[in-house]
Amino acid sequence: MTIVIGLTGGIGSGKTTVANMFADYGIDLIDADIIAREVVAVGSVGLTAITKKFGNRILLSDGNLDRSQLRTVIFSDPQLKNWLNQLLHPLIREKMLADIDHATSPYCLLIVPLMIENNLQTMVDRLLVVDVDQQTQIMRTQQRDNVSLEQINNILAAQASRQQRLDAADDIICNNGDNQALLTQVAQLHLHYLTLAQAAK
Ligand code: ATP
């Protein structure tokens, strides 16, 4: 089985940018955000259960899940939120494991923004954290998403702290610099992970 490198980091830290650099080396990416959408796709077990619970009001006219409606419905009801998590978390985990099983590159990246918050480090062999200073993180997120400082601060407060992530990390990519600095670090880590994968054979 392939070695699993977990990739995490706060909002706007550069996870996607880093993951794409690993993909350029032919490394398989398994992205929790994509899987979270797949498990509620039209015809899925997840969407069928959600529709049974909340009715058709939770669907868009094309049959897809109305995510903003779902967020509104569960927003002020911890029990419903809990119900939804208990439904989706096992489905997401199962799909992650299946995708890891199908990975063909010497190691694969499991990208989970809320890895530490959801205690998913247990699924990975090593944890790679993309670290960035908060000022740069806020500036890049604002430029990308056109959101207010207040909205970003709310998201930051709901996520694990920078220190919590650093404490959990086996490897750290520092993303305070430019793209070239990132490429250099990814190249070094790629070689390191190839060596680990070879040794694990
Ligand atoms: P999220 O979890 O919020 O989706 P992310 O961790 O995947 O974010 P990215 O989308 O990769 O982060 O990066 C956030 C923004 O910062 C993007 O617009 C990206 O192009 C930019 N960015 C990332 N790294 C750098 C860098 N080294 N220099 C300049 N801009 C960068």
Side-chain angles (χ1 to χ4, degrees):
M1 200 161 101
T2 184
I3 286 191
V4 184
I5 308 295
L7 178 67
T8 196
I11 179 173
S13 56
K15 295 176 293 294
T16 308
T17 310
V18 165
N20 288 338
M21 290 175 178
F22 279 101
D24 286 342
Y25 286 111
I27 298 307
D28 292 334
L29 306 182
I30 300 159
D31 187 327
D33 284 346
I34 294 175
I35 291 179
R37 285 194 288 275
E38 287 173 350
V39 299
V40 291
V42 175
S44 64
V45 174
L47 188 57
T48 306
I50 291 171
T51 313
K52 203 169 158 203
K53 180 91 175 167
F54 298 103
N56 283 344
R57 68 184 167 135
I58 217 72
L59 298 177
L60 294 167
S61 54
D62 65 2
N64 275 293
L65 178 62
D66 185 342
R67 294 169 167 281
S68 86
Q69 173 73 359
L70 181 61
R71 265 196 302 274
T72 307
V73 170
I74 64 166
F75 180 70
S76 53
D77 191 331
Q79 273 187 334
L80 283 181
K81 195 174 176 189
N82 202 23
W83 177 87
L84 190 67
N85 284 340
Q86 283 186 5
L87 169 74
L88 296 182
H89 286 186
L91 292 174
I92 292 169
R93 194 185 162 85
E94 213 175 284
K95 180 74 169 69
M96 281 176 178
L97 289 172
D99 286 357
I100 288 170
D101 213 34
H102 288 126
T104 53
S105 53
Y107 66 91
C108 66
L109 282 194
L110 179 64
I111 310 154
V112 187
L114 299 179
M115 177 94 68
I116 288 163
E117 294 82 344
N118 288 325
N119 210 16
L120 289 172
Q121 303 99 300
T122 48
M123 293 186 71
V124 307
D125 296 302
R126 285 183 83 80
L127 184 61
L128 170 58
V129 167
V130 185
D131 182 56
V132 65
D133 69 64
Q134 194 158 307
Q135 204 185 341
T136 308
Q137 177 180 26
I138 291 172
M139 188 194 70
R140 286 179 184 157
T141 306
Q142 275 188 311
Q143 277 172 359
R144 186 194 58 183
D145 297 343
N146 195 22
V147 285
S148 70
L149 182 59
E150 193 192 350
Q151 281 169 297
I152 296 179
N153 279 332
N154 285 341
I155 294 170
L156 286 175
Q159 295 190 337
S161 70
R162 186 178 176 193
Q163 195 55 50
Q164 280 173 317
R165 267 187 225 98
L166 291 174
D167 287 346
D170 295 297
D171 306 303
I172 297 165
I173 285 186
C174 167
N175 192 18
N176 295 332
D178 61 11
N179 232 42
Q180 188 51 50
L182 217 47
L183 278 169
T184 307
Q185 294 174 80
V186 170
Q188 281 169 356
L189 279 169
H190 174 60
L191 288 180
H192 182 47
Y193 294 151
L194 284 181
T195 309
L196 292 178
Q198 188 63 33
K201 268 187 182 170

